[in-house]
Amino acid sequence: MANQLKFIALLSLLPATVAMAQTKWTEKKTGDIVFVTNTGGQQLGYATTSGVKILTVDGLAFKDLNKNGKLDKYEDWRLPVDVRAKDLAAKMSVEQIAGLMLYSKHQPIPAAPAGPFKGTYGGKAFAESGAKPYDLSDQQKEFLAKDNVRHVLITSVQSPEIAAQWNNNAQAFVEGLGLGIPNNNSSDPRHGTLATAEFNAGAGGAISMWPGSLGFAATFDPKIVESFGHIAALEYRALGIATALSPQVDIATDPRWWRVSGTFGEDPQLAADMARGYIDGFQTSLGDKEINGGWGFGSVNAMVKHWPGGGAGEGGRDAHYGYGKYAVYPGNNFNQHLIPFTEGAFKLNGKTGMAASVMPYYTISYKQDTKNHENVANNYNSYIINDLLRKKYHFDGVVCTDWLVTGDETAVDVFLSGKSWGVEGLSVAQRHYKILMAGVDQFGGNNEVAPVIAAYQMGVKEHGEAFMRARFEQSAVRLLRNIFRTGLFENPYLDPEASKSVVGNPEFMTAGYEAQLKSIVMLKNKANVLPLQIGKTVYVPKKFTPAGRNFLGMETPEKLEYPVNMETVKKYFKVTENPDEADYALVFIASPNSGGGYDSKDAKNGGNGYVPVNLQYGEYKATTARAVSIAGGDPLEKFTNRSYKDKSSTAINITDWAMVTETYKAMKGKPVIVSVNMSNPMVLSEFEKDADAIVVDFGVQGQATLDILTGKNEPSALLPLQMPADMLTVEAQFEDVPHDMKCYTDDQGHVYDFGYGLNWKGIINDARTAKYNTGNKKP
C-alpha cells in the first residue's frame, strides 16, 4: 500500500515536470510580432503573418522556419554556426543560393519618385500611392520573392522608427517564403556630419555624428575608432542593419584620388591600426548581446574595402569611371597596399578574429597578376582573389563585388555606367561566371537572379553538376554564416520605440562630438592669435558655389551662402558684415576640387579627354607629366595613351581662394583665421601667408571648429597626409608610394608633413608621433 501511494505521488508529479519542461520559454506579442524568451537560451522573434510556428524541444523554443513540423539543424540555435550553415546550404535550391549571392541596388525608405533609385507602390510613386513610408515597394517585393534576394542595401530613411518598421515588414515578408531565410540589411557609412555622395548616402534618420575617416585617422588613436564602432553598431542594429559596407582601408598613396576622404590616410600601419579598431568595434557584441565568440545581437558584419587597395589610380583618377580603370605601380609597391588588410582587418584583437567580408575594388591592378598575367578588374582576377586573398592570406569570409561590375560600359565618364573593366567583351552571364570562378561569393548592386543561374549552367557544362553545386554551397555557407552569427535567424525584429531611444541618443551624440574635437588639426598659429576671445566682433564672408553637376551627373544650382551656421557663430561672437568693424575674420573654405581628371569637352574637340587633377585653386599646367601613360585602353577609346602632359586645369571652387585673399585685404592687417574642410591634400602656398591661423577638419560640425578656435578645447590632431609643396612634387610622386612628396613649409618654418600638428604650446611630439615615426618618412 505504501509503495502504491508513492507511485501515485510520483504520477501526480509527472504532469508538473512536463509542464515545467514546456514552460522554459515565454512569449509576448506586440502587434504582428511575437517575441519569445527562452530561459537560459536565445531570444526569438517571429511574425504571426509569416506562418512560422514555435517548436518545443527539450522544453526550449525554436522557430520552424521551413514549416515542416520538425527541428532541422539550421533551426537549432544550440548548434555551431557552421553546422547550421552547411545544413541550410544543402537544403537550398540553386535558385535560392543564386538569390543569396545577390546584393540589392540602393534602397531609399520610402522609395524615390524618380532617378536611379526610384520605386513604386501599387504602380504609383510614393506621394500618390497612399502607402506608409515603411511599406515595401513593388520592386522590393519582387526581388525578395522572385529573385530570392536577402541582402538589401539601405540608404536614406525618414526616421529610426520608420527604418525599424520597414525592417519588421521586410523580415516578416521573407520569413514567410521558402526556408525562412532573413534579410541581412546593410548600409554605406552614415555617421558623418554631412550627407555627401555615394559613400554617405545613408544620412537620413537622426543618428550620432562623427568625423569622417580622415578625421578618425587625424586622432592617431584607434581606441576612438573602436568606441565609434561599438556605438555605430548599436545604432545600425536599431535600424535593422547587420552589415556595414565599411571600413575603407585603402592607403591614400596618390593625393589626387577622389576617395582619399574615405580612407584612414596614407600610412599603412596607421590604416591597419584604425581598421582593426573599427572592425573590432562593429563586430564585437558585449554583455548579454553576445551569442558566441564575440558575435551576437550587437554585432554588425564589417565589409572591409577595397582589396587589394584602390589608392593607386593612374593620375589620381578613380575607377568608378572608365577613365580611371587602371591602378599603376611605378614604385613597385603593390604589397604595401595589403598591410591594412593583412595586419589590420585580418588580425583583430577581439574575439571575432577577422573582418566578416571583403570588397575588391573596381580597378585593374595593372601588371600585378604574376600567375595568369590578366589585366582584368580585381573582382574578376583569380590571382588577386583565389591565390592572394583566399590561399595566401587564408580569408574564408564573404567576398562581394563592388556595385555594377557586371554591367555594360556606356560611357567612360558616367558614374552609373557598368564597370566590367578588362572583360567588356564577355556577356553579362560570362562575367558572373568568371567572378564566381575567381573566388567571389556575391554580386553588388544586382537584383536579378537570371545571370547567376546562367553562370551556374556554364559551370555545369565545364565542370559537371557536382562541382558546381559544391561551388554554390561554398558561397552559401559563407553568406549564411554572417546571418547566423548576428542572430537574425532567431530574432530579426525590432521595437520601433526602442530604436528611437537608441539611435542618436545624447550619450552617443556626445561621444561623436568629442571625437570631432579631437580630429581638428591646427596647422598655423602666428603670434599665438588663437585662441580667439569670445564676445569679440567677427566678419565671415559668404561662400560662392558655381553651378555644376554632382557625382550622379545631376545638375546643381549656383549658391551664395554662409559656409557655417551663423546662429552658432553668434553664440561665440558678435557678427558684422563690415570688415572695418571686425576684430577677426573667419574664412571657411573647402580644399580645391578640379574634378576627376577627365574633360568631355576636350574629348569632343579632338583631344583624348585627359586633364590633370589639380590640388591648387589656380590654374595648373602639367608640363612635367608623363608623355605616355603607364596604362590605357578602353573599348570606347581609339587610343591607349592617356597622357595629359601640357594640359591645364583649374579648381571648380577657385572662388574659395578669392575668399581668403579678398578678406586679407579687407581686414587691413587684422587677424584672418582660415578653416579648411579638407577632402584631399592641397597646395597651401596660394593663401597660407594671408592667414594668421589655419585649422583643418575632415568633416565636423561648425560648432566643433568654433570650440577649438576659442580655446574651449585644445587642438590635438595630426595630419594623416602629407601636404605637397607644389603641383610639381605631386606630379613627381609615385601613385603607389606613401610619404614620397616634398612637403610645404609655411612662413613660420613649419613643415606640413604626415603627423604634423600644433597645440597651444607648439608642435606636437608625443607617444603617437613616436609610434608612427612621423616626419621621418620622406623619400
Side-chain angles (χ1 to χ4, degrees):
M1 184 68 178
N3 287 337
Q4 280 183 316
L5 290 172
K6 286 181 180 179
F7 181 69
I8 292 169
L10 287 170
L11 283 175
S12 69
L13 288 173
L14 187 58
T17 305
V18 173
M20 286 175 64
Q22 292 175 338
T23 56
K24 286 184 180 178
W25 57 272
T26 58
E27 63 179 35
K28 178 184 178 182
K29 186 177 180 183
T30 304
D32 292 332
I33 309 300
V34 179
F35 295 101
V36 177
T37 300
N38 274 301
T39 303
Q42 287 228 20
Q43 306 301 301
L44 312 180
Y46 68 97
T48 58
T49 56
S50 70
V52 164
K53 304 295 183 185
I54 291 295
L55 300 171
T56 302
V57 178
D58 299 330
L60 298 168
F62 301 86
K63 292 163 67 174
D64 185 13
L65 290 165
N66 61 1
K67 309 170 189 67
N68 66 354
K70 65 177 184 178
L71 182 64
D72 294 283
K73 287 182 180 179
Y74 85 91
E75 297 165 336
D76 189 344
W77 45 259
R78 298 169 299 183
L79 295 176
V81 162
D82 269 19
V83 171
R84 301 178 71 187
K86 289 175 182 176
D87 178 64
L88 180 51
K91 288 177 166 63
M92 295 175 72
S93 68
V94 169
E95 290 76 15
Q96 288 170 326
I97 295 176
L100 195 66
M101 290 176 168
L102 302 178
Y103 223 122
S104 84
K105 298 175 183 176
H106 297 67
Q107 300 296 311
I109 300 172
F117 310 134
K118 69 180 179 181
T120 56
Y121 299 81
K124 298 179 180 179
F126 173 73
E128 292 89 48
S129 68
K132 304 273 195 313
Y134 44 77
D135 288 342
L136 301 186
S137 70
D138 300 333
Q139 292 74 22
Q140 289 163 358
K141 291 177 182 177
E142 181 175 4
F143 68 63
L144 291 172
K146 177 185 172 184
D147 295 292
N148 297 301
V149 172
R150 292 297 180 271
H151 293 81
V152 182
L153 175 54
I154 306 299
T155 57
S156 59
V157 298
Q158 283 190 0
S159 70
E161 307 98 289
I162 287 172
Q165 289 170 311
W166 182 90
N167 170 79
N168 288 354
N169 286 340
Q171 297 291 9
F173 184 80
V174 297
E175 190 174 73
L177 301 174
L179 295 162
I181 300 171
N183 282 342
N184 181 355
N185 301 325
S186 71
S187 175
D188 280 311
R190 57 196 308 124
H191 281 83
T193 55
L194 295 172
T196 56
E198 177 195 21
F199 325 113
N200 200 16
I207 201 164
S208 62
M209 292 187 284
W210 298 73
S213 295
L214 279 178
F216 280 128
T219 70
F220 277 61
D221 187 351
K223 290 193 176 301
I224 290 177
V225 185
E226 185 173 354
S227 176
F228 159 72
H230 282 304
I231 289 172
L234 292 175
E235 292 184 308
Y236 272 32
R237 292 305 298 265
L239 294 170
I241 294 165
T243 291
L245 302 186
S246 57
Q248 183 192 336
V249 304
D250 315 81
I251 51 173
T253 49
D254 193 289
R256 299 165 292 188
W257 187 35
W258 178 43
R259 300 195 67 174
V260 164
S261 63
T263 74
F264 292 125
E266 68 180 294
D267 187 74
Q269 191 56 55
L270 178 61
D273 292 344
M274 290 290 171
R276 190 182 307 109
Y278 187 108
I279 298 167
D280 270 334
F282 265 91
Q283 291 190 171
T284 306
S285 285
L286 302 174
D288 61 1
K289 289 187 178 294
E290 183 179 0
I291 297 172
N292 190 41
W295 292 101
F297 292 106
S299 298
V300 171
N301 299 293
M303 186 177 290
V304 63
K305 56 191 186 184
H306 303 88
W307 179 264
E314 185 163 18
R317 298 185 294 272
D318 183 72
H320 276 83
Y321 304 89
Y323 61 67
K325 66 200 294 185
Y326 295 100
V328 295
Y329 300 86
N332 195 29
N333 199 40
F334 176 84
N335 288 335
Q336 205 168 19
H337 288 255
L338 306 182
I339 289 173
F341 298 91
T342 60
E343 301 303 315
F346 301 164
K347 289 186 179 178
L348 303 182
N349 293 326
K351 294 180 186 178
T352 64
M354 64 169 54
S357 306
V358 166
M359 181 187 292
Y361 203 40
Y362 295 116
T363 46
I364 296 171
S365 296
Y366 192 64
K367 291 188 176 180
Q368 299 307 303
D369 180 349
T370 58
K371 181 180 180 181
N372 305 310
H373 305 288
E374 277 196 299
N375 280 313
V376 295
N378 296 312
N379 300 278
Y380 293 92
N381 194 300
S382 181
Y383 172 74
I384 295 291
I385 307 299
N386 274 328
D387 291 275
L388 284 184
L389 181 61
R390 296 288 193 199
K391 295 175 183 177
K392 184 173 182 178
Y393 296 109
H394 310 293
F395 182 78
D396 192 37
V398 170
V399 177
C400 177
T401 74
D402 214 326
W403 266 232
L404 300 177
V405 302
T406 57
D408 291 327
E409 182 184 20
T410 56
V412 295
D413 60 345
V414 174
F415 183 87
L416 289 177
S417 174
K419 308 172 202 310
S420 49
W421 310 144
V423 295
E424 294 92 343
L426 299 181
S427 70
V428 172
Q430 287 171 330
R431 292 170 195 161
H432 282 76
Y433 180 54
K434 187 171 179 63
I435 285 171
L436 285 172
M437 292 300 101
V440 176
D441 305 296
Q442 199 166 26
F443 303 95
N446 179 12
N447 298 357
E448 298 174 359
V449 77
V452 187
I453 300 296
Y456 180 85
Q457 297 302 332
M458 290 176 185
V460 170
K461 187 175 181 180
E462 183 173 353
H463 298 287
E465 184 85 38
F467 173 91
M468 208 57 198
R469 174 73 201 191
R471 174 66 190 88
F472 259 45
E473 286 192 28
Q474 181 186 45
S475 285
V477 168
R478 290 170 179 156
L479 291 159
L480 291 168
R481 275 189 202 130
N482 291 350
I483 308 178
F484 280 114
R485 291 190 297 201
T486 49
L488 292 171
F489 273 90
E490 278 56 69
N491 181 23
Y493 296 99
L494 301 168
D495 176 350
E497 285 303 311
S499 293
K500 182 179 179 180
S501 67
V502 168
V503 180
N505 69 54
E507 179 186 348
F508 294 172
M509 285 289 190
T510 299
Y513 188 72
E514 289 175 351
Q516 291 180 48
L517 291 168
K518 293 176 181 177
S519 74
I520 298 172
V521 183
M522 182 165 69
L523 293 183
K524 184 177 181 179
N525 190 18
K526 186 177 181 179
N528 293 322
V529 65
L530 298 181
L532 303 178
Q533 187 176 335
I534 291 175
K536 290 285 191 175
T537 302
V538 299
Y539 165 67
V540 180
K542 288 184 176 179
K543 178 183 175 75
F544 175 74
T545 303
R549 294 181 182 275
N550 65 15
F551 73 100
L552 292 173
M554 301 168 66
E555 292 187 0
T556 55
E558 68 174 45
K559 294 182 293 185
L560 180 63
E561 59 189 3
Y562 284 110
V564 65
N565 187 322
M566 294 305 291
E567 294 306 311
T568 303
V569 174
K570 289 174 183 177
K571 293 178 181 179
Y572 296 80
F573 304 106
K574 298 171 186 175
V575 175
T576 180
E577 295 185 2
N578 182 356
D580 290 335
E581 298 173 353
D583 298 302
Y584 316 120
L586 305 181
V587 186
F588 293 85
I589 62 175
S591 52
N593 171 18
S594 68
Y598 187 85
D599 184 354
S600 57
K601 291 181 180 178
D602 178 80
K604 289 176 182 176
N605 292 330
N608 65 1
Y610 292 87
V611 295
V613 179
N614 188 3
L615 299 183
Q616 63 188 33
Y617 294 109
E619 183 181 27
Y620 161 65
K621 187 173 183 179
T623 56
T624 60
R626 296 183 185 110
V628 179
S629 64
I630 293 174
D634 187 279
L636 300 180
E637 295 178 337
K638 298 178 180 179
F639 52 85
T640 57
N641 185 8
R642 294 180 161 192
S643 173
Y644 50 84
K645 182 175 170 61
D646 295 326
K647 291 184 179 179
S648 301
S649 65
T650 303
I652 298 165
N653 59 333
I654 189 173
T655 49
D656 281 22
W657 180 21
M659 287 171 66
V660 180
T661 56
E662 290 172 6
T663 300
Y664 173 77
K665 293 176 184 175
M667 289 298 289
K668 301 172 183 175
K670 290 180 290 185
V672 175
I673 317 302
V674 177
S675 175
V676 184
N677 173 237
M678 186 174 286
S679 299
N680 290 79
M682 60 188 292
V683 177
L684 288 114
S685 59
E686 291 175 306
F687 69 85
E688 177 266 319
K689 291 180 175 59
D690 293 341
D692 294 274
I694 301 173
V695 295
V696 169
D697 74 81
F698 306 96
V700 299
Q701 294 167 263
Q703 183 181 348
T705 299
L706 292 168
D707 278 347
I708 294 292
L709 294 180
T710 57
K712 188 174 180 179
N713 293 85
E714 184 171 16
S716 61
L718 308 168
L719 282 177
L721 302 155
Q722 292 183 316
M723 296 297 115
D726 49 41
M727 280 304 297
L728 291 178
T729 195
V730 172
E731 206 66 70
Q733 58 88 40
F734 287 155
E735 285 93 336
D736 59 322
V737 178
H739 310 296
D740 65 341
M741 290 193 295
K742 177 185 176 183
C743 297
Y744 180 70
T745 302
D746 71 10
D747 65 4
Q748 305 298 293
H750 295 154
V751 181
Y752 293 177
D753 204 345
F754 169 79
Y756 164 78
L758 299 173
N759 57 22
W760 301 140
K761 296 178 182 178
I763 296 176
I764 298 171
N765 285 294
D766 57 18
R768 298 171 300 164
T769 58
K771 177 179 180 179
Y772 294 102
N773 193 27
T774 62
N776 296 309
K777 295 178 179 289
K778 301 183 186 68

